[in-house]
Amino acid sequence: MDPVEVEALARRVQAAVEVVELRRGALVAASGEWWEGPAADAFRDGLQERRARLAALADELGWLARSLLALAGALRAEQDDGLGRAS
């Protein structure tokens, strides 16, 4: 496994985190605060649930990105003979 490729994957996952966060933030604008009644309440509840799921997804993707960076570091350390030179 090439650490450079793993780091590139980590960057792509981090970019996905940013997209998810943007989508989650965009749902705030669609909240329909001026709207009243049972349908409005159900709509807002649905938006709140969707935002919570997107937050959980962003957390999981963030964990994956951090884990990939740790893996890349471990791979680099494995390739290093301890003297700063590649084996």
Side-chain angles (χ1 to χ4, degrees), residues 31-37 39-49:
S31 65
E33 290 298 323
W34 50 269
W35 193 18
E36 295 181 15
D41 294 339
F43 178 75
R44 280 191 287 275
D45 289 346
L47 283 179
Q48 185 176 17
E49 181 182 332

Side-chain angles (χ1 to χ4, degrees), residues 13-28 51-62:
V13 171
Q14 187 58 45
V17 170
E18 293 168 12
V19 169
V20 169
E21 287 295 343
L22 285 173
R23 289 181 179 171
R24 187 170 76 100
L27 288 178
V28 172
R51 289 190 74 220
R53 286 184 294 176
L54 287 172
L57 176 60
D59 287 345
E60 288 293 319
L61 289 171

Side-chain angles (χ1 to χ4, degrees), residues 37-86:
D41 294 339
F43 178 75
R44 280 191 287 275
D45 289 346
L47 283 179
Q48 185 176 17
E49 181 182 332
R50 180 71 177 145
R51 289 190 74 220
R53 286 184 294 176
L54 287 172
L57 176 60
D59 287 345
E60 288 293 319
L61 289 171
W63 173 86
L64 178 58
R66 290 186 303 275
S67 296
L68 287 167
L69 289 175
L71 175 60
L75 290 170
R76 285 190 192 284
E78 184 177 285
Q79 291 175 352
D80 191 352
D81 67 1
L83 299 174
R85 299 180 304 225

